[in-house]
Amino acid sequence: QVQLVESGGDLVQPGGSLRLSCAASGISFSIYDMGWYRQAPGKQRELVAIITRDQTTNYADSVKGRFTISRDNAKNTVYLQMNSLKPEDTAVYYCNGRRLIASYWGKGTPVTVSS
C-alpha cells in the first residue's frame, strides 16, 4: 500500500519560515520524481516545486529564491523549506510521487500565513 504523509504545516506570520516533510512508503522512493503542490481556497492546485530522481529541481516563479525542495532517499522523505512566507502562500500543500504512469498523492498539510 502506497502512502505519502505530509507534516509540518502550521500558522506562521508573514516573513516566517516552515519546513514541510513528506514521508513515503510502499514505493521505491529513489526512482520517483517527487513534488510539492498547493491549493488555495477557491483556486486550482498548482505546482510549487519538483525534484527528480537525479536531484534536478524546478520551482514555480512565485516561490523561486524563497523555497527549497530536497530529498533524503535513505529516509524516503522529501522536504520543502519555505522562507520569507507571504500571505499568498496560504494553502493546503500536497506531496506527489510520480514515475511513468504512476502518480500518488498525500492528503495534504495546511499552511496559513497571517499576522
Side-chain angles (χ1 to χ4, degrees):
Q1 181 183 1
V2 178
Q3 280 193 311
L4 300 179
V5 180
E6 302 96 334
S7 62
D10 205 346
L11 170 64
V12 63
Q13 292 188 344
S17 297
L18 282 176
R19 188 175 84 152
L20 306 183
S21 300
C22 171
S25 60
I27 59 172
S28 297
F29 181 80
S30 65
I31 64 172
Y32 273 69
D33 297 335
M34 300 299 298
W36 286 97
Y37 292 73
R38 67 186 181 188
Q39 188 166 16
K43 295 188 176 181
Q44 289 190 330
R45 191 172 297 189
E46 63 177 0
L47 174 68
V48 176
I50 190 167
I51 183 165
T52 67
R53 55 186 289 184
D54 62 357
Q55 305 280 354
T56 300
T57 58
N58 194 25
Y59 297 90
D61 287 343
S62 59
V63 307
K64 281 181 182 176
R66 300 189 298 123
F67 290 11
T68 302
I69 189 170
S70 61
R71 66 191 296 163
D72 185 338
N73 290 339
K75 296 182 179 180
N76 288 359
T77 300
V78 60
Y79 304 98
L80 186 67
Q81 178 66 44
M82 305 187 295
N83 299 328
S84 302
L85 282 160
K86 305 175 181 180
E88 51 263 44
D89 294 318
T90 295
V92 178
Y93 284 71
Y94 296 91
C95 176
N96 174 261
R98 184 172 302 172
R99 170 161 173 79
L100 301 177
I101 63 171
S103 180
Y104 302 103
W105 292 91
K107 294 182 179 181
T109 185
V111 172
T112 302
V113 185
S114 175
S115 55

